[in-house]
Amino acid sequence: MVFDNVNHLSSSHLNILSLSRLFNQNCIIHFQRGNSYIIMADGTRIDLIEKNGLFYLRLEQIFEPDEIRAMVAMTPAHQRPPILKGKMALGASVDLWHRRLHISPKRIQMIYDSGAIEGFGLKGKATHGKDCSCEACQIARASRRHVPTARRYDPLCDKPFHTVSSDVKVVNTESLGGFRYAVNFVDEYTRFAHIYFMRTKNEVSTKLEEFISDTRRLGWRIGRIRTDLGSEYSATSVETVAQLESAEKKVRAKFEQICAREDIKFSWAPAGMSKINGVAERFQRTVSEMANAFLYQGRMSPIFWVFAYRHATWIYNRILHSTLGSYSPFELVHARRPRFDRLHTLFCDCYEWIPGPKTPGINKGRKMIYLGVSETCDVGYLVFEPESRTVRTVYNVVFDEKFKQR
């Protein structure tokens, strides 16, 4: 269908028809509320739709839907007509397209400008900002809040053991002594760490008393303990209140009672935000990686993980830390430099001298496995005897750190 010589405003992006020129072509034009139309010279009737003072042609009465879509696609994006309730044109506001697609207004505008999608009409300006605030987007795009690298606590620790971070490590393998858990206490000022091993989580309060006693022997006092919201620390956690029996609650609450008795401030991170307790979490990762390396290097069974963790913690306390400059945690706590005189490769072979009479044919030594420096003897070594499957502290040993027979 072609209208000749009726385009009155050629500079407009809309096809505006001149009524006077339609009259000259013997067309009948009828205006009535809800019943406006044009009757062409050949008798064809075209209905008109009134909107905002303008009358639009109902093209679907003249053309097929495929022809209309082709004409819209061939029209430049910024010249496409707006949408009508009768669906004569294919257009919508940015806000409506956002409700349809739930993508950012910037991407909607980019798709519209590129003309990559047919039937994608756009009109008006977006009321959405860069960050959409509609309820659907807030719920669907909820994400974990970023935990800053620099921890901002108030008050900051200003002396050793002013603030201590604690966490419980669950190990899937039962150790040689029947242990399944490890609880650590890391001083945030010196990064000096204590680690204790447990058969059940209920022992955490007992290990806290051991830690308090060990700290007193070092000449320091604990001011504050920070943990996550695990049930082993606090009786106020959701898991404890919802699932544990009243007897178990009392066991977990004992941790808080000990802190109150010793005048220690007890605080915890919100549920699901263990990263805020990052000092203890990072210690767990560092020591776990060191322990795994020792076990692999020595080709040892995972049941020896307790000795690997203990040895890794012993080394951790005596080497430089990134936050301490040229000092080690041991030096800041003990006021003296650490020594590595008794340090040997963990799980290496060692040979113990057996005292006794010099009888021909009787062995003077036995082969052992080195398990680290003894904590009960200042000059002894902790070893494992494979034949009797026992752990002992010895002194008269010779070490073979080459691992040639592994």
Side-chain angles (χ1 to χ4, degrees), residues 16-42:
I16 299 178
L17 304 181
S18 172
L19 296 182
S20 60
R21 296 193 179 186
L22 286 174
F23 291 147
N24 294 335
Q25 295 187 6
N26 298 323
C27 295
I28 300 174
I29 304 173
H30 178 79
F31 294 103
Q32 182 182 357
R33 184 177 299 276
N35 185 29
S36 300
Y37 55 86
I38 300 175
I39 298 180
M40 306 303 296
D42 59 359

Side-chain angles (χ1 to χ4, degrees), residues 43-60:
T44 302
R45 173 177 169 140
I46 304 174
D47 292 331
L48 300 177
I49 300 298
E50 189 274 333
K51 182 178 178 61
N52 297 329
L54 296 178
F55 290 87
Y56 295 85
L57 300 179
R58 304 272 321 208
L59 297 182
E60 65 272 20

Side-chain angles (χ1 to χ4, degrees), residues 59-60 63-76 80-81 87-91 115 117-121:
L59 297 182
E60 65 272 20
F63 301 100
E64 296 295 330
D66 292 340
E67 295 177 324
I68 297 177
R69 284 193 291 269
M71 288 188 293
V72 173
M74 295 173 61
T75 305
R80 293 173 185 173
K87 301 182 180 180
M88 185 177 98
L90 305 174
I117 299 178
E118 296 183 0
F120 191 84

